[in-house]
Amino acid sequence: MAQRSVAVVGSGYMGGGIAQVLALGGAKVALADVSQEIAEKNLERLIGEAERFVTDGLFPADAVQRLRDQLWAAPSIEEAVADASYIEEAVPEILDIKHGTLRRISDAAPADAVIGSNTSTILIAKLAEAVENPGRFLGVHFSNPAPFIPGVEVIPHAGTTPETVEVAREIVALTGKKAAVVKDVTGFVLNRLQYALFHEAAQVVEQGIASAEDVDTLVRTTFGFRLPFFGPFAIADMAGLDVYSFCYASLQTSFPERFATPAILQDLVDAGKLGTKSGAGFLDIPAERTDDLVAYRNKAYVAMAGLLNELGPSPAEESAK
C-alpha cells in the first residue's frame, strides 16, 4: 500500500495512541488539537511513551525513530487535514464538540477524504449531520489502549458508501489490527456486550452472591480465559447448543425474562444443529475438524496458563488479596 497521508484530530490519550499505530503502520500522520502547542506537547508525550514501550519490549526497536519521522504536530485542524486521505476524529464524547470539529474537518479536507470517528457512545448517523458529503463518514472505533488492543469496530451509518467502508478496512489493516463491521445502533456491539457482562456482575455483587474480587476471579479463570481464542458463538458450538438450551431453561426458573432462550439458539436446536458435535451450529464448523479444534483449544489454554504464570499476578489481583 502506498504511503497514506492521514490526520488524527484530538491528541489526547486515545487520539495519541491511534496516531502511534498509524505512524508505525507507515502512514504520514498529522496530529492536531485545539492548538499547535497542545499538539506538540502531546507529540512529545507520545515519543516518551514509545521510548518506554521499546525498553519494555512492547514496541519494535526502531519505533521511536519511525514515530519521529512519520508523526508531526500540525498548527491547526485545517492544516492537518488539508492533504489527508483519511482523518480520524478523536475529540471528547460531547456532541457539540464533535459536531464543531467534524464541520471544520469536512470543510477543510479534500472532498474525497474519508472521515472516521472514534466515538464509542454516539450514533454515527447523528455525527454525520455535521459532515459535508456524509457518505464518506463512518465510525472507526479503536479500544483503549489503542496501541495494544487488536480489534476495531467499523460502523457505517445508513448513508456510508461501500467504498468508504473499504478504506476504513484498509486503515485498520495498516495498523495490524482486525476490523469488525457492525451496524449503527446504540452501543454498537462492543459496548452492548461489555456492559451486559458488567450489569450482571454488578447485580451479583449488589445481591451479596459473591464479592467483586471473586467475580473477577471467576471471569478471568473460567469463561473469560477462553475469550482470547474463541468468541461466544464458537464457545457455544463447542459446548453444544442443546446444552445451552438446557442451561437457559434452568436459569429461567429464577430469571424467566432476563434469560429467555434466544430464538436464534432454539431454532438451531430444533433443526438438530447442535454445534461441532453435529457439524453445524452458529459457525458451521465441519465435524471432521472437531479433533483439530479440540487440539488447538487445549494447546491455546495451556499456553495462556503459561503466559499468566510467567507474568505473575496483576496489581489488581494482588490488591484483592
Side-chain angles (χ1 to χ4, degrees), residues 54-93:
V54 170
T55 298
D56 292 341
L58 306 178
F59 271 4
D62 62 347
V64 173
Q65 188 58 53
R66 286 161 61 189
L67 290 177
R68 290 192 184 279
D69 292 342
Q70 298 295 106
L71 189 56
W72 63 286
S76 67
I77 291 174
E78 286 74 13
E79 290 181 67
V81 306
D83 298 314
S85 62
Y86 176 78
I87 301 108
E88 177 82 359
E89 169 272 305
V91 301
E93 293 283 279

Short mmCIF file of all heavy atoms in Angstrom, two decimals, residues 54-93:
data_model
loop_
_atom_site.label_atom_id
_atom_site.label_comp_id
_atom_site.label_asym_id
_atom_site.label_seq_id
_atom_site.Cartn_x
_atom_site.Cartn_y
_atom_site.Cartn_z
N VAL A 54 9.54 0.70 23.99
CA VAL A 54 10.68 -0.01 23.39
C VAL A 54 11.49 -0.69 24.49
O VAL A 54 11.86 -1.88 24.37
CB VAL A 54 11.55 0.96 22.57
CG1 VAL A 54 12.86 0.27 22.17
CG2 VAL A 54 10.82 1.43 21.32
N THR A 55 11.77 0.03 25.56
CA THR A 55 12.53 -0.53 26.67
C THR A 55 11.85 -1.76 27.25
O THR A 55 12.50 -2.75 27.61
CB THR A 55 12.71 0.53 27.78
OG1 THR A 55 13.45 1.64 27.25
CG2 THR A 55 13.45 -0.04 28.97
N ASP A 56 10.51 -1.71 27.30
CA ASP A 56 9.75 -2.82 27.88
C ASP A 56 9.46 -3.93 26.86
O ASP A 56 8.80 -4.93 27.19
CB ASP A 56 8.41 -2.31 28.42
CG ASP A 56 8.59 -1.41 29.63
OD1 ASP A 56 9.67 -1.46 30.26
OD2 ASP A 56 7.65 -0.64 29.95
N GLY A 57 9.95 -3.76 25.63
CA GLY A 57 9.73 -4.77 24.60
C GLY A 57 8.34 -4.76 24.01
O GLY A 57 7.92 -5.74 23.38
N LEU A 58 7.62 -3.66 24.16
CA LEU A 58 6.25 -3.57 23.66
C LEU A 58 6.17 -2.97 22.27
O LEU A 58 5.19 -3.21 21.55
CB LEU A 58 5.40 -2.72 24.63
CG LEU A 58 5.41 -3.18 26.09
CD1 LEU A 58 4.58 -2.24 26.94
CD2 LEU A 58 4.91 -4.61 26.21
N PHE A 59 7.15 -2.17 21.89
CA PHE A 59 7.26 -1.59 20.55
C PHE A 59 8.56 -2.10 19.92
O PHE A 59 9.51 -2.43 20.63
CB PHE A 59 7.31 -0.06 20.63
CG PHE A 59 5.96 0.63 20.59
CD1 PHE A 59 4.77 -0.08 20.57
CD2 PHE A 59 5.90 2.02 20.56
CE1 PHE A 59 3.55 0.56 20.54
CE2 PHE A 59 4.67 2.68 20.53
CZ PHE A 59 3.49 1.95 20.51
N PRO A 60 8.62 -2.15 18.59
CA PRO A 60 9.88 -2.57 17.94
C PRO A 60 11.01 -1.59 18.25
O PRO A 60 10.78 -0.43 18.60
CB PRO A 60 9.52 -2.56 16.45
CG PRO A 60 8.28 -1.74 16.33
CD PRO A 60 7.55 -1.88 17.62
N ALA A 61 12.22 -2.07 18.09
CA ALA A 61 13.40 -1.30 18.50
C ALA A 61 13.51 0.04 17.77
O ALA A 61 14.04 1.01 18.32
CB ALA A 61 14.66 -2.13 18.27
N ASP A 62 13.02 0.11 16.53
CA ASP A 62 13.15 1.35 15.76
C ASP A 62 11.91 2.24 15.84
O ASP A 62 11.77 3.19 15.08
CB ASP A 62 13.43 1.03 14.29
CG ASP A 62 12.30 0.24 13.63
OD1 ASP A 62 11.42 -0.28 14.35
OD2 ASP A 62 12.30 0.14 12.38
N ALA A 63 11.01 1.94 16.79
CA ALA A 63 9.73 2.65 16.85
C ALA A 63 9.89 4.15 17.08
O ALA A 63 9.18 4.96 16.47
CB ALA A 63 8.85 2.04 17.93
N VAL A 64 10.80 4.54 17.95
CA VAL A 64 10.94 5.96 18.27
C VAL A 64 11.36 6.76 17.04
O VAL A 64 10.77 7.81 16.74
CB VAL A 64 11.95 6.16 19.43
CG1 VAL A 64 12.23 7.64 19.65
CG2 VAL A 64 11.42 5.52 20.71
N GLN A 65 12.33 6.24 16.30
CA GLN A 65 12.76 6.96 15.10
C GLN A 65 11.66 6.99 14.06
O GLN A 65 11.45 8.01 13.38
CB GLN A 65 14.02 6.31 14.52
CG GLN A 65 14.65 7.10 13.38
CD GLN A 65 15.01 8.52 13.80
OE1 GLN A 65 15.70 8.72 14.80
NE2 GLN A 65 14.51 9.51 13.05
N ARG A 66 10.94 5.90 13.92
CA ARG A 66 9.84 5.88 12.96
C ARG A 66 8.77 6.88 13.32
O ARG A 66 8.20 7.56 12.45
CB ARG A 66 9.26 4.46 12.87
CG ARG A 66 10.17 3.49 12.12
CD ARG A 66 9.84 2.05 12.42
NE ARG A 66 8.48 1.68 12.02
CZ ARG A 66 7.92 0.52 12.34
NH1 ARG A 66 8.60 -0.37 13.07
NH2 ARG A 66 6.70 0.24 11.94
N LEU A 67 8.46 7.00 14.60
CA LEU A 67 7.47 7.98 15.02
C LEU A 67 7.97 9.40 14.77
O LEU A 67 7.21 10.27 14.35
CB LEU A 67 7.11 7.79 16.49
CG LEU A 67 6.32 6.52 16.82
CD1 LEU A 67 6.08 6.41 18.32
CD2 LEU A 67 4.97 6.52 16.09
N ARG A 68 9.23 9.64 15.04
CA ARG A 68 9.78 10.98 14.77
C ARG A 68 9.72 11.31 13.27
O ARG A 68 9.49 12.46 12.89
CB ARG A 68 11.22 11.08 15.28
CG ARG A 68 11.35 11.07 16.80
CD ARG A 68 12.75 11.46 17.24
NE ARG A 68 12.93 11.36 18.67
CZ ARG A 68 12.55 12.27 19.57
NH1 ARG A 68 11.96 13.37 19.13
NH2 ARG A 68 12.76 12.10 20.84
N ASP A 69 9.91 10.30 12.44
CA ASP A 69 9.89 10.52 11.00
C ASP A 69 8.47 10.67 10.46
O ASP A 69 8.24 11.41 9.49
CB ASP A 69 10.56 9.33 10.28
CG ASP A 69 12.05 9.27 10.55
OD1 ASP A 69 12.64 10.28 10.98
OD2 ASP A 69 12.63 8.18 10.33
N GLN A 70 7.51 9.96 11.05
CA GLN A 70 6.18 9.84 10.46
C GLN A 70 5.10 10.69 11.12
O GLN A 70 4.02 10.86 10.55
CB GLN A 70 5.73 8.37 10.52
CG GLN A 70 6.60 7.40 9.75
CD GLN A 70 6.55 7.66 8.26
OE1 GLN A 70 7.49 8.19 7.67
NE2 GLN A 70 5.43 7.33 7.64
N LEU A 71 5.36 11.21 12.30
CA LEU A 71 4.33 11.88 13.08
C LEU A 71 4.73 13.33 13.32
O LEU A 71 5.86 13.62 13.71
CB LEU A 71 4.18 11.15 14.43
CG LEU A 71 3.05 11.50 15.37
CD1 LEU A 71 1.69 11.38 14.70
CD2 LEU A 71 3.12 10.59 16.60
N TRP A 72 3.80 14.26 13.03
CA TRP A 72 4.12 15.68 13.23
C TRP A 72 2.91 16.42 13.80
O TRP A 72 1.77 16.01 13.64
CB TRP A 72 4.58 16.33 11.92
CG TRP A 72 3.55 16.35 10.82
CD1 TRP A 72 3.15 15.30 10.06
CD2 TRP A 72 2.80 17.48 10.36
NE1 TRP A 72 2.20 15.70 9.15
CE2 TRP A 72 1.97 17.03 9.31
CE3 TRP A 72 2.76 18.83 10.72
CZ2 TRP A 72 1.10 17.88 8.63
CZ3 TRP A 72 1.90 19.69 10.04
CH2 TRP A 72 1.08 19.21 9.01
N ALA A 73 3.20 17.50 14.52
CA ALA A 73 2.16 18.31 15.15
C ALA A 73 1.77 19.44 14.20
O ALA A 73 2.61 20.27 13.84
CB ALA A 73 2.65 18.87 16.48
N ALA A 74 0.51 19.47 13.81
CA ALA A 74 0.04 20.48 12.86
C ALA A 74 -0.34 21.77 13.60
O ALA A 74 -0.80 21.73 14.74
CB ALA A 74 -1.17 19.95 12.10
N PRO A 75 -0.19 22.92 12.92
CA PRO A 75 -0.56 24.19 13.54
C PRO A 75 -2.04 24.31 13.82
O PRO A 75 -2.45 25.04 14.72
CB PRO A 75 -0.10 25.23 12.50
CG PRO A 75 0.93 24.54 11.68
CD PRO A 75 0.50 23.11 11.63
N SER A 76 -2.86 23.63 13.03
CA SER A 76 -4.32 23.73 13.19
C SER A 76 -4.99 22.48 12.62
O SER A 76 -4.36 21.70 11.89
CB SER A 76 -4.85 24.96 12.45
OG SER A 76 -4.69 24.79 11.05
N ILE A 77 -6.25 22.34 12.94
CA ILE A 77 -7.02 21.23 12.36
C ILE A 77 -7.04 21.35 10.85
O ILE A 77 -6.85 20.35 10.13
CB ILE A 77 -8.46 21.23 12.93
CG1 ILE A 77 -8.43 20.84 14.41
CG2 ILE A 77 -9.35 20.28 12.14
CD1 ILE A 77 -9.78 20.95 15.11
N GLU A 78 -7.26 22.57 10.36
CA GLU A 78 -7.35 22.77 8.92
C GLU A 78 -6.08 22.37 8.20
O GLU A 78 -6.14 21.72 7.14
CB GLU A 78 -7.70 24.23 8.63
CG GLU A 78 -9.14 24.61 8.92
CD GLU A 78 -9.46 24.74 10.42
OE1 GLU A 78 -8.49 24.79 11.24
OE2 GLU A 78 -10.65 24.79 10.79
N GLU A 79 -4.93 22.71 8.75
CA GLU A 79 -3.66 22.34 8.11
C GLU A 79 -3.39 20.85 8.23
O GLU A 79 -2.79 20.25 7.34
CB GLU A 79 -2.53 23.16 8.72
CG GLU A 79 -2.59 24.64 8.34
CD GLU A 79 -1.44 25.43 8.91
OE1 GLU A 79 -0.29 25.20 8.49
OE2 GLU A 79 -1.70 26.29 9.78
N ALA A 80 -3.85 20.25 9.31
CA ALA A 80 -3.64 18.82 9.49
C ALA A 80 -4.38 18.01 8.42
O ALA A 80 -3.87 17.01 7.92
CB ALA A 80 -4.10 18.39 10.88
N VAL A 81 -5.60 18.43 8.09
CA VAL A 81 -6.44 17.63 7.20
C VAL A 81 -6.35 18.04 5.74
O VAL A 81 -6.93 17.36 4.87
CB VAL A 81 -7.92 17.67 7.65
CG1 VAL A 81 -8.04 17.27 9.12
CG2 VAL A 81 -8.55 19.04 7.43
N ALA A 82 -5.63 19.12 5.45
CA ALA A 82 -5.65 19.71 4.09
C ALA A 82 -5.28 18.72 3.00
O ALA A 82 -5.86 18.75 1.90
CB ALA A 82 -4.73 20.93 4.04
N ASP A 83 -4.32 17.82 3.28
CA ASP A 83 -3.86 16.88 2.26
C ASP A 83 -4.11 15.42 2.67
O ASP A 83 -3.56 14.50 2.06
CB ASP A 83 -2.37 17.07 1.99
CG ASP A 83 -2.06 18.45 1.45
OD1 ASP A 83 -2.78 18.89 0.54
OD2 ASP A 83 -1.11 19.09 1.94
N ALA A 84 -4.94 15.22 3.66
CA ALA A 84 -5.14 13.87 4.20
C ALA A 84 -6.13 13.08 3.35
O ALA A 84 -7.14 13.61 2.90
CB ALA A 84 -5.62 13.94 5.64
N SER A 85 -5.84 11.80 3.17
CA SER A 85 -6.80 10.92 2.51
C SER A 85 -7.71 10.24 3.52
O SER A 85 -8.78 9.74 3.17
CB SER A 85 -6.06 9.86 1.69
OG SER A 85 -5.26 9.04 2.53
N TYR A 86 -7.27 10.22 4.79
CA TYR A 86 -8.08 9.67 5.87
C TYR A 86 -7.88 10.52 7.11
O TYR A 86 -6.76 10.92 7.43
CB TYR A 86 -7.70 8.22 6.18
CG TYR A 86 -8.48 7.67 7.36
CD1 TYR A 86 -9.80 7.25 7.20
CD2 TYR A 86 -7.92 7.63 8.64
CE1 TYR A 86 -10.54 6.79 8.28
CE2 TYR A 86 -8.65 7.17 9.72
CZ TYR A 86 -9.96 6.75 9.54
OH TYR A 86 -10.69 6.32 10.61
N ILE A 87 -8.98 10.81 7.80
CA ILE A 87 -8.93 11.59 9.04
C ILE A 87 -9.66 10.83 10.13
O ILE A 87 -10.78 10.36 9.92
CB ILE A 87 -9.59 12.98 8.87
CG1 ILE A 87 -8.89 13.79 7.78
CG2 ILE A 87 -9.56 13.74 10.20
CD1 ILE A 87 -9.69 13.95 6.52
N GLU A 88 -9.03 10.69 11.29
CA GLU A 88 -9.66 10.07 12.45
C GLU A 88 -9.96 11.16 13.47
O GLU A 88 -9.05 11.85 13.96
CB GLU A 88 -8.73 9.02 13.07
CG GLU A 88 -9.26 8.37 14.33
CD GLU A 88 -10.24 7.22 14.08
OE1 GLU A 88 -10.53 6.94 12.90
OE2 GLU A 88 -10.69 6.60 15.06
N GLU A 89 -11.23 11.33 13.80
CA GLU A 89 -11.65 12.28 14.83
C GLU A 89 -11.66 11.58 16.17
O GLU A 89 -12.29 10.53 16.31
CB GLU A 89 -13.02 12.86 14.47
CG GLU A 89 -13.68 13.66 15.57
CD GLU A 89 -14.51 12.80 16.51
OE1 GLU A 89 -15.40 12.08 16.03
OE2 GLU A 89 -14.24 12.85 17.73
N ALA A 90 -10.97 12.15 17.16
CA ALA A 90 -10.88 11.52 18.48
C ALA A 90 -10.96 12.58 19.57
O ALA A 90 -10.15 12.61 20.50
CB ALA A 90 -9.58 10.73 18.60
N VAL A 91 -11.95 13.48 19.45
CA VAL A 91 -12.14 14.53 20.45
C VAL A 91 -13.13 14.02 21.50
O VAL A 91 -13.73 12.96 21.35
CB VAL A 91 -12.63 15.84 19.79
CG1 VAL A 91 -11.61 16.30 18.75
CG2 VAL A 91 -14.00 15.69 19.16
N PRO A 92 -13.32 14.77 22.61
CA PRO A 92 -14.17 14.29 23.70
C PRO A 92 -15.58 13.90 23.26
O PRO A 92 -16.12 14.45 22.29
CB PRO A 92 -14.19 15.46 24.68
CG PRO A 92 -12.87 16.13 24.46
CD PRO A 92 -12.62 16.03 22.98
N GLU A 93 -16.19 12.97 24.02
CA GLU A 93 -17.51 12.42 23.70
C GLU A 93 -18.62 13.41 24.10
O GLU A 93 -19.50 13.09 24.91
CB GLU A 93 -17.71 11.09 24.41
CG GLU A 93 -16.81 9.97 23.92
CD GLU A 93 -17.30 9.39 22.62
OE1 GLU A 93 -18.20 8.56 22.61
OE2 GLU A 93 -16.77 9.80 21.57
#
